[in-house]
Amino acid sequence: MLSILRLIMAAIFVVFTTLFAFVYCLFSPRNPKHVYFFCRWFNQLHKILGLTLIQRGLERAPTPANSVYISNHQSVYDFVTSPGMLRPRTVSLGKRELLWVPFFGQLYWITGNILINREDKSKARDTIKQVAQAIHQRDLSVWAYPEGTRSKGRGLLPFKTGAFRMAIEAGVPITPMVVSNTHNKINLNRSNNGIVITEMLEPIDTSGYSINDARALADHCHALMAKRIAQLDEEVAQLEQQAKVTTQPSASE
């Protein structure tokens, strides 16, 4: 019953948000400021799912300077755990197929995010160059998932180099953001689904890298993020254990 209630509430939220967005964005469609505005709304969805969300490191984001932000990509619940970390004038890169997802796809497009055709490698490379130029021409930052697909419990998958080539071409830093493990963590029928930590890491200067160094930069970021995710998972386990201890009745009660 609780799962049905949550799904209904989430569906109403997405439909209402989409309809409102079409009206709100009519006067400046696909303006990157809209992404940040509506991400503030999506940041509240964790409450519907019974998650305690701890957000850290936002002061490390190189705002108002531009950046390419990268994050681990675990599941559809990333749209619940990650939006609060997105910075002003940041748009995300998503596969073109998202456009056909009812309501969410149209919301994703009209707010100014960028849809790319990942199947056509030549067009994808052209898109990377165009986005690198737009970072300065339109004063943008870009959010990408360098794994290219959802990991679904397989750990941090190998990174593709597109986001790193984009940052090097644009001459902007790479800023990693990590989310603790959510695989098999969320049960829609459970009232309390525990703790998730999201954390922005220190920006990485790309000025010393050339396009040929994109793979080395990707591997460096992968190692940093994998290590930090493991540390966050340990911290979450400790926090949740402490929470269980404090809520258990004492022997004298």
Side-chain angles (χ1 to χ4, degrees):
M1 184 62 186
L2 181 57
S3 64
I4 295 174
L5 178 61
R6 280 174 164 158
L7 289 172
I8 291 173
M9 292 174 65
I12 291 173
F13 173 87
V14 172
V15 171
F16 173 80
T17 302
T18 301
L19 295 176
F20 178 81
F22 273 104
V23 176
Y24 182 83
C25 297
L26 275 178
F27 302 100
S28 55
R30 298 190 50 74
N31 188 317
K33 70 179 183 180
H34 300 322
V35 181
Y36 178 76
F37 177 80
F38 284 102
C39 274
R40 306 279 67 70
W41 291 28
F42 272 84
N43 190 43
Q44 304 305 312
L45 277 174
H46 70 276
K47 299 174 183 177
I48 294 178
L49 296 186
L51 283 173
T52 298
L53 189 59
I54 299 174
Q55 299 173 329
R56 297 177 180 162
L58 290 177
E59 71 282 355
R60 298 181 186 132
T63 52
N66 308 118
S67 180
V68 172
Y69 295 91
I70 56 172
S71 177
N72 53 319
H73 193 17
Q74 301 183 70
S75 69
V76 67
Y77 292 120
D78 292 341
F79 296 108
V80 176
T81 58
S82 298
M85 304 300 287
L86 187 134
R87 300 294 79 206
R89 296 198 65 81
T90 300
V91 298
S92 67
L93 296 181
K95 58 185 179 180
R96 189 176 59 179
E97 290 77 9
L98 278 176
L99 184 60
W100 308 113
V101 177
F103 293 100
F104 178 81
Q106 295 76 56
L107 174 66
Y108 189 87
W109 177 81
I110 199 169
T111 51
N113 294 294
I114 299 172
L115 295 165
I116 60 176
N117 183 1
R118 289 177 176 167
E119 301 302 321
D120 190 325
K121 301 300 182 183
S122 61
K123 287 186 178 179
R125 285 192 291 268
D126 289 341
T127 299
I128 287 171
K129 292 181 179 179
Q130 292 169 9
V131 174
Q133 295 172 353
I135 285 174
H136 297 294
Q137 293 172 353
R138 299 179 57 200
D139 187 25
L140 296 176
S141 289
V142 175
W143 186 287
Y145 293 107
E147 293 164 280
T149 189
R150 290 174 284 187
S151 59
K152 299 180 180 179
R154 293 172 289 174
L156 191 63
L157 301 179
F159 285 173
K160 301 180 185 301
T161 60
F164 305 93
R165 290 189 283 117
M166 186 186 303
I168 293 169
E169 284 198 29
V172 298
I174 283 276
T175 306
M177 196 284 288
V178 292
V179 184
S180 62
N181 181 44
T182 59
H183 182 63
N184 288 337
K185 184 181 185 69
I186 300 171
N187 182 337
L188 294 180
N189 273 317
R190 187 168 53 212
S191 60
N192 184 352
N193 281 304
I195 298 169
V196 173
I197 301 176
T198 60
E199 183 173 339
M200 195 81 72
L201 306 186
E202 293 288 346
I204 299 170
D205 184 10
T206 63
S207 60
Y209 291 87
S210 69
I211 293 297
N212 293 332
D213 298 323
R215 169 48 59 194
L217 178 59
D219 292 343
H220 173 61
C221 290
H222 188 281
L224 288 175
M225 292 171 66
K227 179 180 179 180
R228 189 56 184 152
I229 291 168
Q231 292 170 339
L232 293 183
D233 289 344
E234 290 181 5
E235 182 179 353
V236 166
Q238 292 172 359
L239 290 173
E240 291 183 339
Q241 183 59 36
Q242 291 171 6
K244 287 181 181 178
V245 170
T246 56
T247 55
Q248 288 176 349
S250 64
S252 60
E253 291 178 333

